[in-house]
Amino acid sequence: MKTTKSFSAIFAFILLGASLLSCGQSKPKTNSDKDYMKKTDAEWKKELTVEQYQVLREKGTERAFTGKLWDNHEKGIYYCAGCHLELFDASTKFESGTGWPSFWQPINQQAVKVGSDTSYGMVRDEVVCSRCGGHLGHVFNDGPKPTGLRYCMNSVSMTFEKATGKK
């Protein structure tokens, strides 16, 4: 009986030690980790334009119909201006009449994160880049089929690369 209790105590001690050691190990970073790309404000200010910094890092909004991409009709890919993560394929862009580039879905579900935005006395769903956390815009449920969503993005939060036709 004493042997069984001793064995149980030793086994429990080993399990406890293993679990404590595993708590200290960091998990691998993925695009969905909030702090995947950590930079200081000084680093962001050095890399971004004043307008990009104001929107991407301070959650600002560019005025409607002023961005370079709202009326873009080229085939290609839209990237995060902060970290160059692929965000949207031009094939999902549509004319929303809002003055901001609008898409009915991201390039993949891991590209963006959606969270709550309660600024300006409104409740909206904020869209941020999953890699750098940069503010991209908002998503609304008044978009076209097949998703019924309208990802209303700030042009200044993105860059665009025209399709080359090569695959």
Side-chain angles (χ1 to χ4, degrees):
M1 195 69 142
K2 283 187 174 183
T3 307
T4 305
K5 285 185 180 179
S6 296
F7 180 74
S8 295
I10 292 171
F11 185 72
F13 184 75
I14 291 171
L15 283 178
L16 177 62
S19 65
L20 288 174
L21 286 174
S22 67
C23 288
Q25 294 179 3
S26 62
K27 63 180 182 169
K29 296 286 186 183
T30 66
N31 285 352
S32 63
D33 287 338
K34 181 172 173 53
D35 60 350
Y36 178 80
M37 178 177 266
K38 278 202 164 195
K39 293 184 181 184
T40 65
D41 281 342
E43 289 172 315
W44 283 118
K45 285 179 179 178
K46 186 177 179 182
E47 293 177 18
L48 301 172
T49 67
V50 172
E51 295 82 11
Q52 287 173 328
Y53 182 84
Q54 196 267 332
V55 174
L56 284 166
R57 308 315 310 166
E58 297 181 334
K59 301 179 186 262
T61 301
E62 67 190 2
R63 289 190 341 262
F65 302 101
T66 63
K68 294 178 181 177
L69 301 174
W70 77 270
D71 199 28
N72 180 32
H73 300 286
E74 300 281 347
K75 291 180 180 178
I77 303 294
Y78 292 82
Y79 294 85
C80 175
C83 68
H84 203 68
L85 179 67
E86 289 184 349
L87 299 173
F88 298 95
D89 187 291
S91 65
T92 64
K93 189 173 187 277
F94 68 97
E95 294 298 325
S96 65
T98 63
W100 290 284
S102 296
F103 306 86
W104 48 266
Q105 78 178 13
I107 201 156
N108 64 60
Q109 293 305 312
Q110 291 75 40
V112 299
K113 284 185 174 183
V114 178
S116 183
D117 176 2
T118 57
S119 62
Y120 304 107
M122 298 179 275
V123 177
R124 299 175 289 173
D125 292 326
E126 178 188 20
V127 179
V128 299
C129 173
S130 67
R131 181 185 289 161
C132 71
H135 173 77
L136 302 169
H138 295 88
V139 62
F140 303 93
N141 62 0
D142 60 0
K145 291 181 180 182
T147 64
L149 298 174
R150 173 173 53 98
Y151 287 83
C152 188
M153 304 292 98
N154 289 284
S155 289
V156 74
S157 295
M158 301 183 296
T159 59
F160 176 76
E161 293 183 18
K162 187 176 175 180
T164 60
K166 298 176 184 176
K167 289 194 177 190

